[in-house]
């Protein structure tokens, strides 16, 4: 929900919730609430920042545990020209494990995105073709064991995703994305590299 508080500043509320279940492990119900602002910092730079919290109820091994955790994040979006837009983003949150009661996972993410539109235009002035490049970094810290002195586990994930999209109509586009992901962990035997190609379509209404 967005509310225009000032000429160049919007306030907003965001809510999320859901249920997750893991076979032979456990389940959890979670609810998140965030409040933030979106501001026109310059004629071509938009900033966004939010802060909030979440509540989780984890059920595992016949036991239920309630836990509350903070969430905060932000992004900057710069319009360089009518056809070139870039953004940077960052987020941090704390969550709890479904399978191990008492295990806490702290996740920090950061990344950037560039999109360049080109080719013929539609009636609404949007270009039919667009090239995109997205990079993201994620770090997770967690403990598998609650035994005193057990070191925290750490995972770093780097993801690069170039893309090409074609706008059939103003509200309908198809896209092709190649994603390369590299995971580096201090867990023995957990490192991997992964490539994926996705073909999809998106309709706005």
């Amino acid at each position: 929900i967005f509310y225009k508080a000032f000429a160049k500043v919007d306030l907003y509320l965001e809510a999320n919730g859901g249920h997750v279940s893991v076979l032979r492990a456990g389940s959890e119900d979670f609810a998140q609430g965030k409040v933030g602002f979106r501001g026109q910092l310059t004629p071509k730079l938009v900033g966004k920042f939010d802060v909030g919290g979440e509540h989780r109820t984890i059920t595992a091994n016949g036991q239920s545990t309630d836990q509350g955790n903070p969430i905060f994040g932000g992004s900057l979006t710069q319009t360089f020209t009518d056809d070139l837009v870039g953004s940077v983003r960052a987020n941090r949150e704390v969550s709890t494990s479904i399978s191990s009661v008492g295990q806490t996972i702290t996740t920090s993410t950061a990344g950037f995105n560039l999109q360049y539109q080109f080719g013929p235009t539609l009636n609404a002035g949007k270009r039919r073709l667009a090239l995109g490049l997205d990079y993201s970094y994620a770090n997770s810290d967690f403990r598998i064991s609650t035994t005193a002195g057990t070191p925290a586990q750490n995972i770093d994930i780097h993801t690069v995703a170039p893309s090409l999209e074609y706008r059939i109509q103003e509200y309908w586009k198809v896209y092709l994305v190649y994603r390369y992901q590299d995971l580096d962990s201090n867990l023995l035997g957990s490192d991997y590299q992964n490539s994926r190609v996705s073909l999809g379509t998106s309709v706005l209404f």
Side-chain angles (χ1 to χ4, degrees):
I1 301 175
F2 282 84
Y3 171 73
K4 181 168 287 296
F6 305 99
K8 296 184 178 181
V9 178
D10 298 329
L11 299 180
Y12 64 89
L13 296 174
E14 181 178 332
N16 301 286
H19 173 79
V20 183
S21 180
V22 176
L23 186 65
R24 297 189 298 275
S27 63
E28 71 177 18
D29 296 291
F30 67 93
Q32 299 177 346
K34 294 190 289 186
V35 60
F37 73 87
R38 180 178 61 186
Q40 192 83 33
L41 304 179
T42 72
K44 292 190 175 183
L45 180 64
V46 175
K48 190 177 177 184
F49 176 79
D50 52 57
V51 62
E54 69 172 15
H55 178 270
R56 292 175 183 258
T57 300
I58 305 98
T59 302
N61 301 321
Q63 302 179 40
S64 292
T65 303
D66 292 306
Q67 185 169 344
N69 300 296
I71 302 171
F72 57 88
S75 66
L76 292 171
T77 301
Q78 172 75 40
T79 301
F80 299 102
T81 68
D82 290 343
D83 296 325
L84 179 62
V85 177
S87 65
V88 294
R89 60 188 182 274
N91 188 73
R92 183 176 175 85
E93 63 181 63
V94 180
S95 60
T96 51
S97 170
I98 304 173
S99 55
S100 301
V101 174
Q103 177 177 310
T104 299
I105 304 169
T106 301
T107 303
S108 303
T109 63
F112 70 85
N113 179 275
L114 289 172
Q115 187 179 70
Y116 175 67
Q117 300 182 30
F118 63 101
T121 58
L122 296 171
N123 293 335
K126 294 183 178 180
R127 303 277 192 175
R128 282 195 181 274
L129 292 163
L131 288 173
L133 176 63
D134 188 270
Y135 166 78
S136 63
Y137 165 76
N139 173 268
S140 291
D141 287 305
F142 59 94
R143 295 183 182 275
I144 294 179
S145 173
T146 56
T147 303
T150 302
Q153 308 301 317
N154 188 275
I155 293 176
D156 293 307
I157 303 176
H158 299 268
T159 305
V160 180
S163 63
L164 172 67
E165 68 178 45
Y166 176 73
R167 193 174 294 275
I168 301 172
Q169 297 290 339
E170 178 188 355
Y171 55 86
W172 180 23
K173 63 183 178 182
V174 294
Y175 54 87
L176 178 67
V177 181
Y178 168 74
R179 191 194 72 164
Y180 172 78
Q181 189 172 80
D182 180 271
L183 184 146
D184 182 27
S185 171
N186 63 357
L187 291 171
L188 186 63
S190 296
D191 297 1
Y192 71 79
Q193 291 79 41
N194 174 271
S195 295
R196 181 182 300 174
V197 177
S198 301
L199 177 65
T201 185
S202 174
V203 179
L204 301 177
F205 58 90

